[in-house]
Amino acid sequence: MSKKKTRIKLELKRRDFLAVGGVAAGSVVAAQLLTTGPLSPFASFKQEQVEGIEEVAPRHTGHHWGMVINLNKCIGCEYCTRACSATNDVWVGLPDEDQALGKERLNKPWNIVVEEKTSTGTPFYFSRPCLHCGDAPCVEVCPVQATYHRDDGLVVMNYDKCIGCRYCQIACPYDARKFNWQERTDENPYIPTWGIAEVPRRPRGVVEKCTFCIHRIDAGLQAGLMPGEDPEASPACVNICPVGARIFGDLNDPESKISRTIAVEATMRLRDELGTETSVYYVIPKEGL
Amino acid sequence: MASQTLSRRHFYLSPAVLAWIGLIGILILIGLISAVLVFWNGLYITRMSDPVPWGLWITIDLSAIALGAGAFTLSAVVYLFRLKRFQPLVRLAVFIGFIGYTTALLTLIMDIGRPDRFWHPWVYWNIHSVLWEITWCITIYLAIMLVEFAPVIAESRFFRNYAWAAKVAKFLHHLAPLLALLGLGISLLHQSSLGATYGIVKSRPFWFKPSMPIMFILSAVAVGPSLTMAITYIIEWVTGKKSVPNDILRAIARFSGFALLIYGYIRFWDLAAVTYYGRTPSVSEAFSLLNQQTPYNFSFWIFEILLGVVLPAILFLTPRFNRNPGYLVIGAIFAVIGVVINRWNVTVGGLFVPISYSPGVLYELEPTKYFPGLPEWGVAIGVIGYGLALLTLGARYLPLFSNGEHS
């Protein structure tokens, strides 16, 4: 045993030193090849990630859809909630049934409107769709890539991939996601008064979310319309608003109405300290928050 | 051989055994009825809701996997650190680990909205997702445990007449150190990633901290082996056969005791750093909400710390108590309760703090409410029945305590 030990000691001087040096140099090369080089199994993912980061910065190629919600104008009529629930056939829920099961706010819609107060006590109305984060926690945590970023800045879902683990609900900083706890057999009370269903109902057991009405955006662009300017290509909540509190459009186009509004009004983004880079901006109440 | 047959008959005829089998049957029946109800009606009949989308079942997943940590710890101790005297315990530890992980998977299948798509994480990869990594680690580790455990099944009396089974068993037994190494790596990864599942969620101030993965792995390594120790004693009492020397079991208890002290120590400084030295407005708000309007504070100090860490550490470490197996088993039971309550407090505590994103109601929201409903308890009872059934069958039919070195 002792003989062996001394031999190791002697050899450490030259041969092992060379071997260790060679292994170290080799692993540096291998690490390069495997992480950023051509052998990397993550090369494709990295590319997506890089594109995702670029998404955050204003790009001058392509669109980046965003929304401005003017808290000065909103009167709390909840028309946006109703039009959204009709157009996207969102379940608006039965409070009595929820209470019987001992649950809270089980079937909240995609779009919510609540009354709030500024620090000086002035009431204002606050509404919230999905904020379509540039760096979205829900996209990161999804184990099956059911939620993903589109090139135009929207965060959307593939309902055929979702396994219903609800991790995105846990991770969303804005409480913007909704789970389908049961099979839909209800009659939507907002159809046809507030609109007709333009997308199919989502199945039981998947999470769903606001899409900024992508079906209208995509079809509108194909028909040569401009989302944010032509109502046929704009989200239902924007069209229905009786006071024009919601502005929709291309954040990448400096001449769009939304970009000009952001340039002149005092705006804020929700929980900006988390680095989520939301695509929704709020015009804050005149007397401050 | 004859005596074994005799003892088997005796085993079945005893009224206590009949009562035990009846109890397990009832537990599993309750679980099956609840599972059918949930699959039929959807998760609507549970008490989970959009504000609290995770509840009792996730607590069971996390606890069962933490309690299965004895498998990788003892495998590593025996096959990597070469402490051969612990070998008689490895098989039982791996068996308990297998029960724990399959329990977690069964509960998870209940919990996801689309059980028919359970295979999606294997096909649609999102390498950025902690949950994706955990799914892969748990799958791989379950396979490792099956291979580790295969020799035990091959040595059981069902395969006694097949020569090839013995050969396979011998071959697999030689792989043990490699499997232990793989198991150690994979387990260290996913046991801590389960903590990271919460630790990375930046939207929830109660969870978002770098210590979460460390807390999870430390508590798992501390409590997992003590459960193996306790179950060994209980099997010995029931069968009346002494299989593992007392000093080895006491050594396990002492290891768990020290690990619990280390866990408690780091937990203390973690708490101090989060709530006292490095507090942020949102974290302070979350803690004051939990302390004032929920039983979190009581549950944390009494169940998690006093009964879950301090009491077992005293029972495991002081010579007055740790010479008596009864105290060791009681200590292990309290440690297990402590880790389960910890996972519950982490999951539900984090979700009770409402998400505060709107400037007009910042820090003014009520805590959300959740208490598991009947179907959730039913499934929980069912998986406990499943675990007990597997343990009983294993203790009866498998050579759990032989060291596999007789050939």
Side-chain angles (χ1 to χ4, degrees):
Chain A
M1 218 36 192
S2 63
K3 234 182 185 176
K4 218 178 180 180
K5 266 185 186 165
T6 39
R7 230 176 71 194
I8 288 168
K9 257 186 188 170
L10 281 172
E11 280 186 344
L12 258 179
K13 279 177 183 165
R14 20 172 240 280
R15 216 173 102 185
D16 281 1
F17 178 77
L18 283 177
V20 168
V23 167
S27 43
V28 167
V29 173
Q32 283 293 328
L33 284 175
L34 282 169
T35 50
T36 53
L39 292 178
S40 166
F42 303 133
S44 60
F45 291 104
K46 277 202 167 306
Q47 197 53 42
E48 279 167 29
Q49 204 182 6
V50 169
E51 278 166 16
I53 290 164
E54 275 176 1
E55 209 79 64
V56 173
R59 287 195 318 186
H60 294 287
T61 54
H63 306 289
H64 183 149
W65 305 117
M67 192 183 281
V68 165
I69 298 176
N70 193 331
L71 298 179
N72 280 310
K73 287 186 177 173
C74 180
I75 54 169
C77 63
E78 295 189 353
Y79 282 15
C80 49
T81 304
R82 297 176 195 190
C84 168
S85 297
T87 308
N88 294 293
D89 202 356
V90 181
W91 197 6
V92 284
L94 310 156
D96 299 343
E97 245 182 74
D98 296 350
Q99 269 182 359
L101 280 158
K103 301 183 186 191
E104 280 187 3
R105 292 185 286 147
L106 179 67
N107 293 305
K108 53 172 188 175
W110 289 358
N111 224 324
I112 60 154
V113 181
V114 285
E115 189 183 343
E116 299 186 353
K117 279 191 174 72
T118 64
S119 51
T120 51
T122 318
F124 69 94
Y125 292 96
F126 172 85
S127 67
R128 194 231 57 225
C130 168
L131 306 183
H132 294 270
C133 304
D135 188 358
C138 59
V139 173
E140 251 168 58
V141 300
C142 178
V144 295
Q145 281 195 335
T147 308
Y148 60 98
H149 275 292
R150 292 205 332 174
D151 284 341
D152 55 4
L154 298 184
V155 177
V156 290
M157 279 191 71
N158 180 345
Y159 298 117
D160 293 334
K161 271 189 186 175
C162 178
I163 59 170
C165 70
R166 308 191 287 286
Y167 196 11
C168 49
Q169 274 195 305
I170 298 272
C172 175
Y174 308 102
D175 202 14
R177 284 171 163 270
K178 176 178 157 23
F179 183 67
N180 278 319
W181 296 93
Q182 76 180 128
E183 192 75 51
R184 292 278 302 275
T185 51
D186 60 302
E187 219 172 271
N188 192 324
Y190 295 141
I191 297 174
T193 319
W194 299 90
I196 51 156
E198 294 170 10
V199 289
R201 286 182 170 181
R202 278 68 56 192
R204 178 187 112 182
V206 301
V207 179
E208 56 182 54
K209 72 184 289 296
C210 155
T211 64
F212 272 177
C213 292
I214 37 169
H215 56 282
R216 291 186 175 191
I217 296 174
D218 292 349
L221 283 174
Q222 271 190 354
L225 302 171
M226 192 57 192
E229 287 165 20
D230 301 302
E232 294 87 346
S234 306
C237 57
V238 176
N239 293 343
I240 198 93
C241 185
V243 290
R246 289 189 175 206
I247 303 165
F248 185 79
D250 187 358
L251 292 169
N252 277 352
D253 175 8
E255 293 308 311
S256 66
K257 195 180 172 195
I258 181 171
S259 295
R260 280 185 277 125
T261 309
I262 292 169
V264 296
E265 296 274 8
T267 57
M268 64 166 291
R269 296 196 287 189
L270 299 184
R271 297 186 90 176
D272 221 9
E273 75 278 7
L274 297 180
T276 41
E277 306 281 349
T278 65
S279 305
V280 176
Y281 293 74
Y282 285 86
V283 176
I284 60 173
K286 279 205 177 69
E287 64 271 22
L289 279 165
Chain B
M1 217 43 178
S3 71
Q4 224 166 14
T5 322
L6 199 68
S7 72
R8 184 168 66 175
R9 280 211 185 112
H10 179 71
F11 187 87
Y12 271 113
L13 285 175
S14 142
V17 170
L18 277 178
W20 179 244
I21 292 169
L23 175 72
I24 290 176
I26 290 169
L27 296 183
I28 292 179
L29 191 69
I30 291 173
L32 284 178
I33 292 170
S34 310
V36 169
L37 278 175
V38 170
F39 283 138
W40 191 262
N41 295 302
L43 293 166
Y44 184 64
I45 59 169
T46 69
R47 285 263 184 86
M48 289 184 283
S49 59
D50 282 331
V52 188
W54 286 357
L56 178 69
W57 289 345
I58 292 286
T59 308
I60 294 174
D61 296 335
L62 296 170
S63 310
I65 287 176
L67 295 176
F72 88 86
T73 314
L74 282 165
S75 298
V77 160
V78 170
Y79 294 113
L80 296 180
F81 306 135
R82 304 266 163 198
L83 299 173
K84 289 285 177 196
R85 66 196 181 106
F86 293 105
Q87 186 140 29
L89 274 171
V90 171
R91 290 182 157 186
L92 180 67
V94 172
F95 188 54
I96 293 169
F98 177 77
I99 295 173
Y101 277 72
T102 45
T103 300
L105 287 183
L106 280 177
T107 321
L108 212 55
I109 284 284
M110 296 303 306
D111 206 354
I112 60 174
R114 294 296 301 251
D116 53 317
R117 297 180 182 165
F118 73 94
W119 48 273
H120 276 199
W122 301 326
V123 178
Y124 306 110
W125 293 17
N126 180 11
I127 60 160
H128 301 293
S129 169
V130 190
L131 211 53
W132 177 82
E133 181 248 298
I134 291 171
T135 316
W136 271 91
C137 277
I138 288 179
T139 316
I140 295 169
Y141 189 53
L142 205 57
I144 291 174
M145 280 194 292
L146 275 176
V147 179
E148 272 185 313
F149 199 66
V152 185
I153 295 167
E155 279 172 26
S156 68
R157 71 164 71 99
F158 306 113
F159 289 99
R160 196 157 282 169
N161 298 327
Y162 303 100
W164 59 266
K167 271 184 200 159
V168 169
K170 205 178 163 190
F171 170 70
L172 291 178
H173 190 75
H174 286 307
L175 287 181
L178 177 69
L179 294 172
L181 183 66
L182 274 175
L184 180 69
I186 296 276
S187 295
L188 288 176
L189 255 180
H190 72 255
Q191 291 277 4
S192 42
S193 302
L194 284 169
T197 306
Y198 298 105
I200 60 151
V201 178
K202 58 187 172 188
S203 62
R204 311 251 180 191
F206 183 74
W207 288 339
F208 186 52
K209 54 184 179 182
S211 57
M212 216 50 136
I214 298 157
M215 295 302 147
F216 267 57
I217 188 132
L218 273 179
S219 52
V221 168
V223 178
S226 77
L227 179 68
T228 308
M229 176 269 296
I231 289 180
T232 308
Y233 272 127
I234 291 169
I235 290 177
E236 284 181 357
W237 292 338
V238 172
T239 58
K241 267 186 295 184
K242 190 71 199 148
S243 321
V244 183
N246 268 338
D247 63 319
I248 288 176
L249 292 170
R250 198 155 62 235
I252 298 276
R254 272 206 299 274
F255 166 81
S256 278
F258 281 119
L260 278 172
L261 284 185
I262 294 169
Y263 166 63
Y265 173 78
I266 295 179
R267 192 88 173 84
F268 171 76
W269 280 105
D270 173 62
L271 190 72
V274 168
T275 60
Y276 193 62
Y277 298 105
R279 64 179 172 209
T280 60
S282 53
V283 173
S284 299
E285 191 57 35
F287 271 94
S288 69
L289 192 82
L290 285 177
N291 292 344
Q292 286 165 14
Q293 306 200 35
T294 70
Y296 173 80
N297 211 23
F298 176 81
S299 170
F300 173 77
W301 286 108
I302 303 298
F303 287 111
E304 261 191 63
I305 301 300
L306 197 65
L307 297 181
V309 174
V310 177
L311 178 72
I314 292 172
L315 293 178
F316 289 164
L317 290 176
T318 52
R320 188 179 157 185
F321 294 116
N322 76 4
R323 292 193 190 285
N324 183 338
Y327 284 123
L328 292 185
V329 171
I330 289 171
I333 289 170
F334 275 109
V336 166
I337 291 173
V339 89
V340 173
I341 297 282
N342 168 260
R343 299 308 194 253
W344 166 266
N345 280 348
V346 168
T347 307
V348 178
L351 293 172
F352 274 1
V353 182
I355 285 194
S356 189
Y357 53 84
S358 168
V361 290
L362 211 55
Y363 308 141
E364 281 175 19
L365 297 168
E366 290 284 300
T368 56
K369 293 190 191 75
Y370 168 76
F371 193 76
L374 277 182
E376 286 162 277
W377 287 117
V379 169
I381 289 169
V383 293
I384 290 171
Y386 158 82
L388 291 177
L390 237 59
L391 203 59
T392 311
L393 289 173
R396 180 72 195 98
Y397 293 108
L398 296 175
L400 287 177
F401 294 108
S402 85
N403 56 17
E405 299 271 276
H406 52 76
S407 47

